[in-house]
Amino acid sequence: MEARNIWTTYNEKQMQELNELNERYKSCLDQGKTERECVALTVDMAEQAGYQNIEKILAQGKKLSAGDKVYAVCMSKMAALFCIGEKPISEGMNILGAHIDSPRIDVKQNPLYENEGLAYLDTHYYGGIKKYQWVAQPLALHGVIVKKDGTVVKVNVGEEEADPVFVITDLLVHLAQEQLEKKASKVIEGEKLDLLIGNRPIEQTENLDQAEKDAVKKNVMRILKEKYGMEEEDFYSAELEIVPAGKARDCGFDRSMILSYGQDDRVCAFTSLFAMLDVKQPVRTGCCLLVDKEEIGSVGATGMHSKFFENTVAELVALTEGESELKVRRALSRSKMLSSDVSAAYDPMFAEAFEKRSSAFFANGLTFNKFTGSRGKSGSNDANAEYLGRLRQVMDEAKVAYQFAELGKVDLGGGGTIAYIMANYGMEVIDSGVAVLNMHAPYEVTSKADVYEAVKGYRAFLQMK
């Protein structure tokens, strides 16, 4: 079916809405470069919209009724928002599920060292990246340092104009003949992704004739001590993430696109959140679920494989219909979900990797992927035709532009999402999201029109009866 560019369909009012929404989205990208930052931002926006922490409701012994809005947080890296519907939760929910982690580079637990007068942080990359893309560009450091007494110190260095930035060095081209003969996966190896953080030695007050050992490293620790009250051992209980420095920017002379770090999958997370905050009193309970660890298999206490969501639904059932394990199972199996995750946008520069008829295109609207997986649909959720038919009806009635696609050619690979995990409950699930260029690169590109249509589509889905 022929692709249709939707930019020409918007009137003046829609263009204003589109631009305002995308400015809001860019601001969220700037404020949420890590999972913790995304959750903190989500909680702030939710509370401003009238959502209450479910822990507060439980402590007060209150019940929930239609129209009530609650949220739950898991370990500061996973969040779920619920707007209680007119129908009982046991009759099912409409769920938007997205992940808020993105490929990046993490600081190890014993990272600080000095080598030939240069101080570094030792690292381990997180998620699927092309390692060579992360060298020779300005990088920022985000995260937390947790002291033994439980004090949590936030770290955010490299984003403000006056901040220093950091870098992972690359070999100069004049000496790179052998390097350039290597496969792309070997041009920069994981052990060479260490972050350059200092070169100035600590000032000596005595024994000036004898250079102090690891003087540059000691000077870095002096700065960290002054700024964060940090000892070197505090790296053991720190979570520090290395991400590209800088803000989300308009892309193109026509400002039709957004260039930013972390749009996989925060373009779907924030559009899902925007839609959720717009919903007032749906017929079916609406949910926006934002999870961690998707890029490494959805594992751990804050990944989709954890019991956080199931346990939270059990609390909601107890607060509305009374405790019942059977009703919790019914709620989950009768739910419908959009696994809000990005899709690969067709890139004419690399047309050989795509099957054009089954590709997602910029400015063609919200993308539905009936299945993902790799080679033979391995590891994918394959959505039912009946569910697709219902979604088409809902999107058409709401005048949402949408397209259907898959991730590249059949034998080239593919990708995974959280869809198959939620489908284990027996609910109807399909992947739907925004098409992205440069996926998993330090800077990814999206179309503002697709961001706008995603919010419209997610809003229509939450209001689906």
Side-chain angles (χ1 to χ4, degrees):
M1 285 168 269
E2 186 177 355
R4 181 190 180 200
N5 190 307
I6 55 179
W7 277 107
T8 58
T9 68
Y10 296 135
N11 58 34
E12 186 175 340
K13 180 183 177 183
Q14 290 170 320
M15 283 298 300
Q16 182 178 348
E17 291 175 350
L18 182 151
N19 288 323
E20 289 175 355
L21 185 145
N22 277 280
E23 288 303 309
R24 184 183 179 196
Y25 167 55
K26 288 192 297 181
S27 176
C28 288
L29 286 173
D30 295 341
Q31 296 176 67
K33 285 194 172 183
T34 70
E35 312 88 285
R36 287 176 181 268
E37 291 172 351
C38 287
V39 168
L41 180 59
T42 295
V43 169
D44 183 56
M45 295 170 66
E47 289 182 344
Q48 289 183 38
Y51 282 77
Q52 297 184 72
N53 193 324
I54 193 171
E55 297 295 336
K56 182 179 179 180
I57 302 296
L58 292 169
Q60 295 174 345
K62 293 182 178 180
K63 293 291 184 180
L64 294 175
S65 56
D68 285 341
K69 301 175 180 180
V70 296
Y71 70 87
V73 171
C74 179
M75 300 182 182
S76 301
K77 292 187 277 188
M78 188 176 184
L81 281 65
F82 299 87
C83 184
I84 307 302
E86 297 171 7
K87 291 184 177 181
I89 294 175
S90 58
E91 292 189 23
M93 300 169 285
N94 293 344
I95 305 167
L96 295 172
H99 68 91
I100 49 177
D101 62 316
S102 295
R104 60 175 188 265
I105 299 174
D106 286 342
V107 175
K108 290 184 180 179
Q109 261 45 65
N110 187 23
L112 182 59
Y113 71 95
E114 180 178 334
N115 189 352
E116 300 298 338
L118 298 174
Y120 295 90
L121 289 178
D122 197 5
T123 69
H124 193 134
Y125 61 93
Y126 173 96
I129 66 171
K130 292 180 177 178
K131 296 185 286 292
Y132 64 80
Q133 293 180 329
W134 287 78
V135 301
Q137 63 172 295
L139 299 170
L141 196 62
H142 291 237
V144 294
I145 301 163
V146 182
K147 308 290 187 61
K148 285 190 293 186
D149 63 1
T151 302
V152 179
V153 182
K154 294 181 180 178
V155 176
N156 187 329
V157 185
E159 302 296 351
E160 300 299 327
E161 190 69 27
D163 283 355
V165 293
F166 311 98
V167 71
I168 297 168
T169 58
D170 193 9
L171 182 61
L172 64 160
V173 69
H174 310 72
L175 303 178
Q177 290 87 344
E178 291 184 7
Q179 181 195 43
L180 293 174
E181 295 297 323
K182 295 180 179 180
K183 293 172 56 178
S185 61
K186 298 292 185 180
V187 168
I188 299 292
E189 297 182 355
E191 294 298 339
K192 293 189 182 296
L193 288 174
D194 291 357
L195 192 69
L196 181 62
I197 60 169
N199 173 235
R200 181 177 177 178
I202 195 167
E203 293 184 9
Q204 294 179 243
T205 56
E206 54 186 41
N207 298 326
L208 298 180
D209 293 333
Q210 184 176 358
E212 188 166 350
K213 184 180 179 182
D214 289 340
V216 177
K217 173 184 172 180
K218 288 178 181 177
N219 194 41
V220 169
M221 278 311 311
R222 178 191 62 79
I223 295 168
L224 295 177
K225 176 76 171 179
E226 291 177 357
K227 188 172 180 64
Y228 304 112
M230 181 184 181
E231 305 293 342
E232 186 171 357
E233 290 79 7
D234 290 329
F235 277 114
Y236 292 147
S237 51
E239 291 180 2
L240 299 173
E241 302 178 12
I242 300 163
V243 299
K247 298 182 181 298
R249 303 285 297 273
D250 287 348
C251 182
F253 284 118
D254 55 6
R255 296 181 177 270
S256 62
M257 298 166 287
I258 293 173
L259 178 73
S260 176
Y261 166 71
Q263 296 198 79
D264 177 8
D265 182 38
R266 293 176 189 135
V267 66
C268 296
F270 288 128
T271 50
S272 294
L273 178 61
F274 294 166
M276 186 71 193
L277 297 178
D278 286 342
V279 171
K280 304 304 179 187
Q281 189 168 332
V283 174
R284 285 160 60 92
T285 293
C287 171
C288 175
L289 176 62
L290 305 178
V291 303
D292 183 21
K293 298 293 188 289
E294 192 274 345
E295 296 294 358
I296 58 170
S298 297
V299 294
T302 56
M304 194 64 252
H305 279 298
S306 76
K307 297 295 183 182
F308 165 72
F309 180 68
E310 185 177 330
N311 292 342
T312 305
V313 172
E315 296 283 10
L316 291 177
V317 170
L319 290 170
T320 54
E321 303 176 54
E323 286 193 40
S324 170
E325 182 180 348
L326 180 58
K327 287 185 177 180
V328 173
R329 293 186 181 186
R330 286 174 177 167
L332 293 168
S333 66
R334 293 171 177 173
S335 291
K336 292 176 171 48
M337 180 182 181
L338 296 185
S339 174
S340 306
D341 209 338
V342 297
S343 187
Y346 182 81
D347 189 339
M349 295 294 101
F350 302 95
E352 66 278 4
F354 296 86
E355 200 284 289
K356 194 172 181 179
R357 289 191 305 277
S358 298
S359 294
F361 288 83
F362 264 21
N364 275 228
L366 181 64
T367 302
F368 288 99
N369 292 92
K370 185 179 187 297
F371 50 84
T372 55
S374 61
R375 290 176 291 275
K377 303 184 183 179
S378 177
S380 78
N381 167 69
D382 201 343
N384 292 315
E386 293 86 350
Y387 185 37
L388 269 65
R390 176 70 177 120
L391 288 173
R392 289 174 57 208
Q393 181 185 35
V394 169
M395 297 299 147
D396 286 344
E397 288 176 351
K399 294 182 170 53
V400 176
Y402 62 93
Q403 56 187 319
F404 281 85
E406 60 181 274
L407 192 63
K409 286 187 175 179
V410 172
D411 285 331
L412 281 187
T417 69
I418 64 172
Y420 76 98
I421 304 169
M422 297 295 276
N424 288 333
Y425 291 114
M427 68 176 71
E428 295 276 20
V429 185
I430 188 173
D431 287 294
S432 82
V434 175
V436 175
L437 287 171
N438 290 2
M439 192 189 299
H440 280 217
Y443 295 95
E444 299 165 318
V445 189
T446 55
S447 165
K448 290 183 177 181
D450 294 335
V451 172
Y452 179 59
E453 295 298 328
V455 175
K456 288 170 56 182
Y458 292 157
R459 191 187 298 128
F461 170 78
L462 289 171
Q463 295 169 337
M464 185 172 69
K465 298 179 181 178

